[in-house]
Amino acid sequence: MNISIIIPSKDEQERLPRFLKTVIGFCRRSAHSYEIMVVDDGSKDKTADVALSFQKEFPALKVMSLGRNHGKGYAVKQGFFAARGEIVLFLDADGSTGPEEIERHLNCFEKGYDIVIGSRVLTDGKSQVKTLSYRKWMGTIFNFLVSRMLIKGIKDTQCGFKMFRASVIPDLFGRLYLEGYGFDLEVLYLAQKMDLRIKEVAVNWSHVDGSKVDLVKDSIRMFWNIIQIKNWHYVAINTHAEHMSVKELTNMYNQEKEHWWFKAKGHFFKEILSGFNFDNKFVLDAGCGTGHNMEFLRSRVFYVGYDVVLEALEFCRTNGVQRLVQGNLHNLGFRSQAFDVIISLDVLEHVADPVAAMAEFKRVLKDDGMLVLAVPAFRFLWSPHDEALSHMRRYSRRDFEDLVKDSGFEIKRSGYLFVLIFFPVAIIRLVRKVFAKNDKPQCDTFDKPSAKINEWLFKLLQWEASHVLKHQYPFGTSLYILASPAPQKWQNMRK
């Protein structure tokens, strides 16, 4: 069996060497095949160099440097997405839980479990937990609150030993928002909503001096995380379709030439891009859907439509798109620097690993090229509509801009779209969240309103495109970014 061990680390140059020696020794003795990945989460010391010094001793050790500090949850997620094992797990760099726990509990996967998590509360007569008394009491209180408010049937959500079947990682970790210590809560809550099988097991655990956790501040932050998780993920999760369903694509194809929302979206980008010279450019529409959005460009450029869903490409052909490619954004398949412009509208929210998709955009875009992106905005607006469309997330402006900058791009222009309908949409969705009993996936644009209302809404947003886009507003239901590749020295993600 191939197993990947992820070790998230920040400023661990002192404690990491001893733990790596222990892990490497364990891996060498094992009959299984192991890879070790140290994820340096923006350390200010020599954590990455220390980890790299062990590669001669164990060639299957890799080091991922994130460039700047994001948080433990983000570091684990990026390590998980890069892992190649059939089973992927993380261990804390302090060595509080040793690698011997891995093979003690591998048999749980043979029994059909998807996730195996360590517990400092459960006992099996073989495991020992050595901790400070005040930490034990605080952990007991916190786990009591978690069990009452968020996660049922798990006694210890925060132990730094969790193993996952690789096949569940994209759907599960692709939906995570939390980047700090609270990510354990979110991943377990989502796993239960997705009906994944979780096994909690007793492990040996010892307190190690030098903890990065501030018990007071982090406890308050994690209590707030509980409220956030309940708000973000209140809808039943649509796990039946990996991508937008044929039903939704058919609805899009039938509606987009007449429905006010689709017409306005196309008009927004026609207005945004009106100042650029696209003549004789090579343009990639990454996630082209049914092919209608960029119709105004196709007569002026060498245009390639790209989508993962075969049925979407069939609709594109009906809409007159001639050059089409089916594939995954994680591996576009084009030569480097092949395109002058990449357009990807309302696509990144569908992608489990947007960092990998952005790296591919960077690779195939020319150094003087332009990237055009749009995503749905504001996490609190999450609704059955998002699940119906197989979204994995909505973005805050900060997260969206950080993703673009960390991927090696320089932002030229960014802002919100659908500003004028933001408050009505927010009120409707919040009221539904509080009072509606039906939380099943349901698309908001499946039915077109009456002809008069439809025309009025389109004219309203047409006016927004002409006037509001010239100014910056702090809200809107969508976000957009225009960016170009940044100088090499600014690129700092996933080295």
Side-chain angles (χ1 to χ4, degrees):
M1 182 179 289
N2 296 319
I3 302 170
S4 299
I5 301 174
I6 310 302
I7 305 175
S9 306
K10 181 181 183 298
D11 298 332
E12 291 286 1
Q13 68 175 19
E14 301 297 328
R15 298 191 297 184
L16 188 59
R18 181 174 62 181
F19 186 52
L20 279 180
K21 288 178 182 177
T22 299
V23 176
I24 290 171
F26 167 81
C27 293
R28 281 178 164 175
R29 295 189 299 270
S30 175
H32 297 286
S33 177
Y34 281 89
E35 72 167 347
I36 302 169
M37 184 177 299
V38 177
V39 183
D40 178 17
D41 187 24
S43 296
K44 295 181 180 179
D45 64 6
K46 296 183 179 181
T47 294
D49 293 334
V50 167
L52 284 169
S53 70
F54 283 86
Q55 279 188 329
K56 290 183 179 179
E57 186 177 345
F58 192 75
L61 185 147
K62 304 173 184 176
V63 178
M64 177 189 293
S65 293
L66 299 182
R68 65 180 180 87
N69 177 243
H70 291 265
K72 179 183 177 182
Y74 187 89
V76 168
K77 180 166 70 171
Q78 297 310 314
F80 272 32
F81 282 142
R84 294 294 178 262
E86 302 165 68
I87 303 297
V88 185
L89 65 120
F90 69 89
L91 294 172
D92 287 343
D94 61 6
S96 54
T97 302
E100 65 278 356
E101 299 298 333
I102 299 170
E103 295 182 14
R104 280 185 64 200
H105 304 294
L106 273 181
N107 64 325
C108 294
F109 293 104
E110 297 173 3
K111 297 176 182 178
Y113 288 98
D114 300 299
I115 303 170
V116 179
I117 66 171
S119 175
R120 297 161 294 184
V121 177
L122 293 181
T123 57
D124 61 2
K126 301 177 183 178
S127 305
Q128 292 184 335
V129 175
K130 299 177 182 179
T131 187
L132 302 177
S133 58
Y134 74 92
R135 284 181 174 269
K136 181 178 180 180
W137 281 108
M138 290 193 72
T140 300
I141 294 170
F142 179 75
N143 284 319
F144 173 79
L145 291 174
V146 170
S147 66
R148 293 291 180 181
M149 300 176 64
L150 194 66
I151 300 169
K152 305 297 181 183
I154 294 178
K155 297 184 181 297
D156 184 4
T157 60
Q158 301 309 116
C159 180
F161 172 79
K162 292 181 174 67
M163 299 195 292
F164 298 79
R165 195 184 300 277
S167 59
V168 308
I169 288 173
D171 276 350
L172 181 57
F173 279 78
R175 288 176 161 82
L176 292 187
Y177 286 121
L178 293 177
E179 298 184 347
Y181 293 108
F183 87 100
D184 297 86
L185 298 174
E186 189 175 16
V187 75
L188 291 175
Y189 182 72
L190 283 169
Q192 287 190 337
K193 293 201 73 168
M194 295 168 66
D195 294 324
L196 298 178
R197 294 191 64 193
I198 305 170
K199 178 65 175 178
E200 188 174 15
V201 296
V203 295
N204 292 290
W205 190 93
S206 298
H207 171 75
V208 179
D209 291 334
S211 172
K212 304 289 194 304
V213 178
D214 184 311
L215 283 180
V216 177
K217 290 182 179 179
D218 286 319
S219 295
I220 294 172
R221 186 178 294 114
M222 289 174 71
F223 180 78
W224 172 239
N225 290 160
I226 293 173
I227 298 172
Q228 289 176 308
I229 292 167
K230 291 281 282 187
N231 178 52
W232 293 334
H233 304 296
Y234 83 100
V235 181
I237 295 175
N238 177 18
T239 58
H240 300 294
E242 184 180 359
H243 310 290
M244 189 182 294
S245 68
V246 175
K247 177 182 177 181
E248 295 298 342
L249 283 168
T250 303
N251 172 59
M252 182 187 298
Y253 174 76
N254 290 334
Q255 297 272 31
E256 62 188 353
K257 294 181 182 179
E258 299 296 333
H259 193 285
W260 63 271
W261 191 90
F262 294 108
K263 288 174 64 180
K265 177 183 172 183
H267 193 76
F268 277 135
F269 283 96
K270 189 173 183 179
E271 188 76 21
I272 290 169
L273 301 175
S274 61
F276 294 90
N277 180 11
F278 284 94
D279 293 340
N280 302 315
K281 301 293 186 183
F282 286 76
V283 176
L284 174 66
D285 190 350
C288 56
T290 60
H292 178 67
N293 278 329
M294 296 292 109
E295 188 174 8
F296 67 92
L297 277 181
R298 293 204 293 267
S299 63
R300 301 165 55 193
V301 302
F302 183 89
Y303 181 94
V304 178
Y306 189 98
D307 207 284
V308 69
V309 182
L310 181 61
E311 289 82 2
L313 300 181
E314 293 298 329
F315 284 122
C316 284
R317 288 188 179 92
T318 305
N319 270 327
V321 184
Q322 300 300 318
R323 290 175 290 273
L324 297 167
V325 178
Q326 183 184 14
N328 193 302
L329 294 191
H330 294 162
N331 184 12
L332 289 171
F334 300 106
R335 63 176 174 81
S336 297
Q337 298 200 8
F339 294 97
D340 299 287
V341 180
I342 297 176
I343 297 169
S344 191
L345 307 183
D346 293 319
V347 175
L348 287 177
E349 65 272 18
H350 295 271
V351 179
D353 185 4
V355 173
M358 290 295 296
E360 277 292 272
F361 290 164
K362 179 67 171 59
R363 183 184 66 81
V364 303
L365 186 64
K366 293 180 180 178
D367 289 338
D368 60 350
M370 180 174 66
L371 178 66
V372 185
L373 301 172
V375 295
F378 289 106
R379 296 171 185 174
F380 80 90
L381 290 181
W382 189 267
S383 75
H385 171 79
D386 295 279
E387 290 292 352
L389 296 182
S390 299
H391 292 174
M392 286 192 163
R393 69 193 70 83
R394 297 182 75 93
Y395 283 86
S396 69
R397 184 166 185 171
R398 178 180 176 182
D399 287 345
F400 189 31
E401 292 184 346
D402 283 348
L403 171 65
V404 173
K405 289 186 287 189
D406 287 344
S407 299
F409 289 92
E410 184 178 356
I411 295 174
K412 301 298 184 181
R413 182 178 175 185
S414 68
Y416 288 98
L417 301 175
F418 296 100
V419 172
L420 296 177
I421 66 167
F422 173 77
F423 287 110
V425 169
I427 291 170
I428 290 170
R429 292 194 174 178
L430 289 174
V431 168
R432 285 178 178 173
K433 185 180 294 190
V434 174
F435 296 105
K437 294 181 180 180
N438 183 10
D439 66 350
K440 293 181 180 180
Q442 182 177 350
C443 180
D444 287 349
T445 58
F446 206 84
D447 296 313
K448 189 174 73 173
S450 68
K452 287 186 177 180
I453 294 176
N454 190 70
E455 184 63 20
W456 183 83
L457 286 169
F458 173 63
K459 287 187 177 298
L460 178 70
L461 294 171
Q462 198 174 27
W463 182 87
E464 177 182 323
S466 301
H467 297 83
V468 177
L469 278 176
K470 297 175 183 178
H471 309 281
Q472 287 287 335
Y473 291 86
F475 52 81
T477 63
S478 293
L479 281 158
Y480 77 94
I481 280 178
L482 305 184
S484 59
Q488 190 69 26
K489 66 179 180 178
W490 295 113
Q491 299 171 27
N492 60 8
M493 179 63 73
R494 277 196 182 176
K495 292 180 179 176

